[in-house]
Amino acid sequence: MSSPDRSHNLSPDPTTTGFGRVNRDILGTLHPGRLYFAALALCLLGIGWGVWSWTQQVFNGLAVTGLHNPVMWGAYITTFVFWVGIAHSGTLISAVLFLFRARWRTAVSRAAEAMTVFAVMTAGLFPIIHLGRPWLFYWLLPYPNQRGLWVNFRSPLLWDVFAIGTYFTVSVLFFYLGLVPDLAILRDNSTGWKRRIFSIVSLGWSGSTREWKHFNSSYLLMAALATPLVISVHSVVSWDFAVAIVPGWHSTLFAPYFVAGAIFSGLAMVLTLIIPARKILHLEEYITSSHLENVAKLILFTSLIVTYSYLIEFFFAWYSQNPFEQTVFMSRLVGDYAPLFWLMVVCNCLVPMLLFIPSARRNTALLFVISLLINVGMWTERFVIIAGSLARQYDITTWGDYGPSWVEWSILLGSLCWFLFWFLLFIRHLPGIPIAEVKEAMVHGSPAMNSLSAEGQP
Amino acid sequence: MSGVLGIFEQREDLLKAVKEAQTENLGPLEAFSPALDEDLIEAVSPGKSPVRRLTLLGGITGGICGMALTIWTTAQWPLLITGGKPLISIPPFLIIAFELTILFGALGTVSGFLYWSIWARHRRPLPYDTRFSQGHFGLWIECPSVDTEQVAEFLKERGATEWEIR
């Protein structure tokens, strides 16, 4: 290439200012230290323990769990709903906030999108684990067979298959689409076999204007499709319960109540993952405390919706004058499941109130603790709704008690490790912050990236 | 296909060069940028992307498939345990149709992106410099080989720090 007067107009050192610095900082996170490998090994150990526990169940049947009449849905279904809920924040941050032009989302969007994909992958395991004969899971799919059988589309469990299947596919496509320009950056910054792999997965992206034009349009359309999808998915999950006539489940409130709860728990999980990640990967300049504060405000908002739903559920029970409904809700307040109910109230309603205080929203350590408590609280909420309602349905002679067995706890632990394992692989191999979007924010002089754009071009 | 590829360090220089190249009618052009830049898109390739047509087509196909799948399979295997509801129950079937509308719409969108963004470039390859993904901007002007020196001079005058004649 001819460069007669290349010296003029060059930045002093392209890696220390502007776009070059963004590349260097974010790509620099892809070389973590020993702590990373220790965490990865720990996760693998947890997954191994979970798989071993599951084999106990496969060989011995569901008797190794605490499930028995009348509580046939317990920790597995609770955990399924929990992980589907966790998935929701990723779509909220990447799609809904994108449509609302909330530019601050850039800093956390990639991690949240990845979280969505991994959470759905984790959630999808649980209906299969819950099956007595998991090897027959494909009976849920409508495929032509020699018996001439078809699935029952009037069953909410079938709606789940379609909703979760669509959600997983769309989340993966959305995540991958947003990743393409960054994969091209990785391609151009790597050598050897890594370069070959990144060349294939970046689809030969060159950053031409026409590519950006179709990319922009596709991203916007995917966001517009993902937004109603995310609302439909947790609505469908809530209908697994709401269309049954079990007291404590049979309520039209369930769909919005579950969607708000899902976003609430998902946002808490975003903080749980991002706060340590930004510290370890030195990304404080990109994920600033004002980004965390914005997530905290959303958590506070959704916490208020969830609190309102808890209250209105009790109002429904009282107003219905249905003794079975009232018994279930009284048992939550003062019965055997009351400790769990009050734990969820403290974690989901009272603790998030601290976020009304501005200094609490800016205190990273406190935010981390609050996010952990919300994770615990939201798992407990689903447990109280699912197992608590089944255990106290109708006549006292049909009541029963349920507590998860060691197998169920082990599989829950294994699922957490499985989720973290994928997340760790993600932050090791792909940029945790969308580099191209950070550069776009710099082009537009967005306040979200002020500290960076002030230093360099453009 | 001959032409000149100019490399720019400043976005403003590139935007100016694009506008002037269009005014002087130097030839078909394509710009490269490290980030999405709507001003640049508007200057080089105005108008709406056709991807949305495939999204619509996918969505409509998905909705029809969802209704067809549910109604047809229910008619094939008429389970009469419907609790007094009609065998073909539209409300639950709409849920399946909705999910498939979104699924096919998304698949249509991604297909559109792959076709117009990726496949179109493979059919008509343009020069590329790895600095475009880092922080530099590029402008490719297609022109007859006799005009390349003149176009290169044009790019140099507009602030291109390097250029390559092809």
Side-chain angles (χ1 to χ4, degrees):
Chain A
M1 184 172 278
S2 56
S3 52
D5 50 354
R6 199 185 162 183
S7 55
H8 97 273
N9 213 6
L10 270 180
S11 313
D13 176 3
T15 58
T16 53
T17 55
F19 288 168
R21 190 176 149 220
V22 176
N23 278 2
R24 188 205 57 190
D25 285 357
I26 300 177
L27 296 180
T29 63
L30 304 180
H31 307 285
R34 279 184 191 164
L35 192 65
Y36 171 85
F37 291 102
L40 204 65
L42 217 58
C43 285
L44 280 173
L45 207 64
I47 295 171
W49 175 250
V51 170
W52 185 79
S53 309
W54 183 56
T55 58
Q56 297 305 301
Q57 183 185 308
V58 171
F59 285 114
N60 300 309
L62 285 169
V64 298
T65 67
L67 296 167
H68 57 83
N69 256 337
V71 185
M72 297 310 288
W73 281 8
Y76 293 149
I77 302 298
T78 301
T79 314
F80 163 71
V81 180
F82 174 76
W83 284 115
V84 178
I86 295 297
H88 277 47
S89 68
T91 317
L92 175 95
I93 288 174
S94 45
V96 182
L97 295 185
F98 176 75
L99 294 180
F100 280 110
R101 297 284 185 261
R103 292 254 177 216
W104 64 268
R105 69 178 261 290
T106 299
V108 288
S109 67
R110 174 67 50 72
E113 278 170 35
M115 211 184 78
T116 292
V117 173
F118 307 143
V120 182
M121 278 164 56
T122 314
L125 298 175
F126 278 88
I128 296 171
I129 291 171
H130 184 71
L131 293 176
R133 293 180 290 169
W135 50 92
L136 296 177
F137 75 93
Y138 63 90
W139 281 8
L140 281 164
L141 305 172
Y143 65 97
N145 55 70
Q146 65 196 37
R147 291 156 293 164
L149 291 170
W150 288 102
V151 292
N152 180 7
F153 282 110
R154 284 182 298 271
S155 162
L157 303 185
L158 246 295
W159 310 343
D160 251 356
V161 171
F162 277 74
I164 304 288
T166 300
Y167 192 44
F168 179 65
T169 315
V170 173
S171 300
V172 169
L173 291 175
F174 196 39
F175 176 59
Y176 181 59
L177 183 69
L179 205 56
V180 169
D182 283 7
L183 290 170
I185 297 171
L186 285 170
R187 172 198 64 199
D188 294 343
N189 282 289
S190 51
T191 51
W193 61 271
K194 275 191 174 177
R195 189 183 175 90
R196 276 203 294 280
I197 290 175
F198 285 127
S199 293
I200 296 166
V201 292
S202 64
L203 308 168
W205 178 265
S206 72
S208 74
T209 315
R210 283 173 182 84
E211 281 169 24
W212 279 118
K213 177 181 164 179
H214 302 306
F215 171 85
N216 191 28
S217 182
S218 308
Y219 198 82
L220 181 71
L221 288 162
M222 288 296 277
L225 288 168
T227 301
L229 176 66
V230 73
I231 294 167
S232 84
V233 170
H234 226 64
S235 300
V236 165
V237 169
S238 83
W239 293 332
D240 287 343
F241 309 102
V243 299
I245 54 166
V246 174
W249 288 4
H250 194 55
S251 162
T252 49
L253 175 71
F254 259 44
Y257 168 28
F258 268 50
V259 172
I263 293 171
F264 176 57
S265 66
L267 289 168
M269 188 59 98
V270 167
L271 286 188
T272 307
L273 294 180
I274 275 183
I275 290 174
R278 84 193 256 272
K279 182 86 186 156
I280 295 165
L281 304 174
H282 309 294
L283 286 171
E284 285 94 343
E285 210 172 335
Y286 293 84
I287 306 170
T288 63
S289 56
S290 89
H291 293 127
L292 300 181
E293 190 179 353
N294 283 334
V295 177
K297 283 178 188 168
L298 282 175
I299 288 179
L300 177 59
F301 174 62
T302 42
S303 162
L304 292 175
I305 303 178
V306 167
T307 306
Y308 174 75
S309 305
Y310 293 165
L311 290 172
I312 215 77
E313 270 197 306
F314 279 88
F315 171 78
F316 281 174
W318 169 75
Y319 193 70
S320 71
Q321 292 293 302
N322 178 332
F324 298 126
E325 197 78 22
Q326 288 174 347
T327 308
V328 167
F329 281 92
M330 279 312 285
S331 83
R332 284 187 196 175
L333 279 183
V334 291
D336 292 335
Y337 290 92
L340 291 175
F341 174 78
W342 290 109
L343 175 69
M344 101 189 187
V345 168
V346 169
C347 292
N348 301 343
C349 309
L350 301 180
V351 169
M353 292 302 135
L354 283 173
L355 299 174
F356 269 118
I357 307 164
S359 58
R361 292 197 299 266
R362 286 188 217 110
N363 183 334
T364 313
L366 184 65
L367 277 183
F368 185 64
V369 173
I370 291 176
S371 75
L372 286 177
L373 288 175
I374 294 172
N375 288 329
V376 172
M378 285 307 291
W379 192 87
T380 315
E381 180 211 284
R382 275 67 175 254
F383 187 85
V384 168
I385 293 172
I386 296 168
S389 302
L390 287 172
R392 293 289 176 271
Q393 52 182 330
Y394 307 115
D395 197 79
I396 197 162
T397 55
T398 62
W399 288 6
D401 279 312
Y402 166 76
S405 72
W406 70 269
V407 173
E408 288 164 287
W409 287 122
S410 302
I411 291 177
L412 172 61
L413 176 77
S415 82
L416 187 68
C417 291
W418 161 267
F419 172 77
L420 291 175
F421 171 75
W422 285 104
F423 194 80
L424 286 172
L425 283 189
F426 156 71
I427 54 168
R428 167 74 178 82
H429 295 284
L430 297 169
I433 293 176
I435 302 175
E437 273 192 48
V438 171
K439 289 177 181 171
E440 185 192 340
M442 289 164 73
V443 167
H444 294 289
S446 159
M449 294 298 155
N450 257 355
S451 61
L452 295 162
S453 52
E455 286 187 41
Q457 66 160 322
Chain B
M1 187 179 66
S2 61
V4 185
L5 176 70
I7 296 184
F8 291 78
E9 285 180 358
Q10 302 298 330
R11 171 177 173 262
E12 286 68 30
D13 289 346
L14 172 73
L15 273 171
K16 214 170 122 200
V18 166
K19 282 176 188 149
E20 289 180 19
Q22 283 168 333
T23 320
E24 295 187 24
N25 207 8
L26 291 180
L29 45 92
E30 179 62 276
F32 299 87
S33 64
L36 175 71
D37 187 334
E38 280 165 3
D39 299 333
L40 199 58
I41 293 174
E42 196 51 41
V44 176
S45 169
K48 286 183 175 167
S49 162
V51 170
R52 66 213 161 94
R53 286 184 216 144
L54 273 188
T55 309
L56 180 68
L57 187 71
I60 292 170
T61 313
I64 293 170
C65 285
M67 287 315 286
L69 174 74
T70 46
I71 293 172
W72 183 74
T73 57
T74 308
Q76 289 291 305
W77 180 250
L79 270 175
L80 289 173
I81 328 153
T82 60
K85 305 288 192 309
L87 189 64
I88 308 291
S89 310
I90 298 300
F93 294 179
L94 278 177
I95 296 168
I96 306 291
F98 174 82
E99 298 298 341
L100 290 188
T101 303
I102 301 279
L103 178 65
F104 281 51
L107 291 172
T109 309
V110 172
S111 310
F113 167 73
L114 292 176
Y115 180 76
W116 278 292
S117 249
I118 307 299
W119 176 240
R121 202 198 44 254
H122 281 292
R123 271 187 319 190
R124 189 170 159 273
L126 292 174
Y128 178 69
D129 190 291
T130 52
R131 281 173 292 176
F132 296 157
S133 70
Q134 316 299 310
H136 288 65
F137 299 86
L139 179 60
W140 162 254
I141 302 180
E142 208 177 307
C143 59
S145 51
V146 289
D147 294 339
T148 48
E149 288 297 334
Q150 187 199 339
V151 172
E153 193 60 30
F154 167 87
L155 289 170
K156 184 186 166 191
E157 281 169 14
R158 301 303 180 284
T161 52
E162 289 177 39
W163 53 88
E164 186 183 5
I165 296 173
R166 291 204 174 198

